[in-house]
Amino acid sequence: MVCRMFRIEAEVDRGRRDLLRSRLRDTNTSASPVLAALRGTPGEREVPLHVWALDAAGGLAGGLVGHTWTTWLHVTYLWVDPRHRGTGLGTHLLARAEHLARTDRGCTGARLETWDFQAPGFYRKQGYEVVCVIPDYPPGITEYTLTKRLG
């Protein structure tokens, strides 16, 4: 019965997306004193955090792309060129991002997602703990969400 009262559309609409995000943020802010306290502060915004490793020729040897929000670092991508894997470069990139997030931005935690064939073991060695496992995301692959407290 409800669907007869509304016109349902499934198209990409940036204006509606932004309006929806704004309304959801307002709803969340009114329901959470923590989120309300963030409104209008620098902690309210996501701030990009990138760390790059360039080889002697200036080519990309590896990199980390993420952002900080409130007191958290979110690692979106971490990649090391196959020629440089096993050298400690990935560990160095991650440690540098964590250091910047902790010392320059006051972050106390970090989070990331990885698939079973990527690097869950690597992140565990760096002190991350699995907090969520999603089997078959996508089909045949398991996704892990890991977090770490930044000292």
Side-chain angles (χ1 to χ4, degrees):
M1 182 62 74
V2 171
C3 287
R4 293 181 188 176
M5 298 170 54
F6 303 98
R7 183 177 77 232
I8 305 298
E9 297 178 359
E11 63 187 49
V12 174
D13 184 319
R14 291 181 183 174
R16 287 180 185 160
R17 178 205 62 199
D18 293 345
L19 177 61
L20 184 74
R21 181 174 47 207
S22 174
R23 290 185 178 173
L24 179 60
R25 185 181 62 203
D26 291 345
T27 300
N28 291 343
T29 299
S30 67
S32 168
V34 172
L35 295 177
L38 282 172
R39 287 301 284 270
T41 71
E44 179 183 30
R45 293 182 301 110
E46 292 180 0
V47 179
L49 192 151
H50 298 178
V51 181
W52 306 107
L54 306 178
D55 63 22
L60 184 62
L64 181 147
V65 171
H67 66 268
T68 55
W69 178 69
T70 67
T71 60
W72 282 84
L73 164 64
H74 186 150
V75 176
T76 308
Y77 310 119
L78 173 60
W79 176 83
V80 173
D81 186 283
R83 295 172 294 166
H84 304 291
R85 291 182 188 159
T87 66
L89 182 55
T91 298
H92 182 74
L93 290 166
L94 185 59
R96 180 73 175 145
E98 291 171 354
H99 175 77
L100 292 170
R102 187 178 63 253
T103 60
D104 295 355
R105 302 186 187 186
C107 290
T108 58
R111 65 165 293 184
L112 55 90
E113 296 83 26
T114 190
W115 286 321
D116 55 8
F117 65 87
Q118 288 178 320
F122 166 79
Y123 292 115
R124 285 186 187 114
K125 288 178 186 174
Q126 309 312 312
Y128 284 76
E129 297 179 12
V130 174
V131 296
C132 178
V133 177
I134 305 173
D136 264 355
Y137 184 77
I141 296 173
T142 298
E143 181 179 87
Y144 296 89
T145 301
L146 297 97
T147 63
K148 177 181 178 178
R149 286 285 157 203
L150 302 178

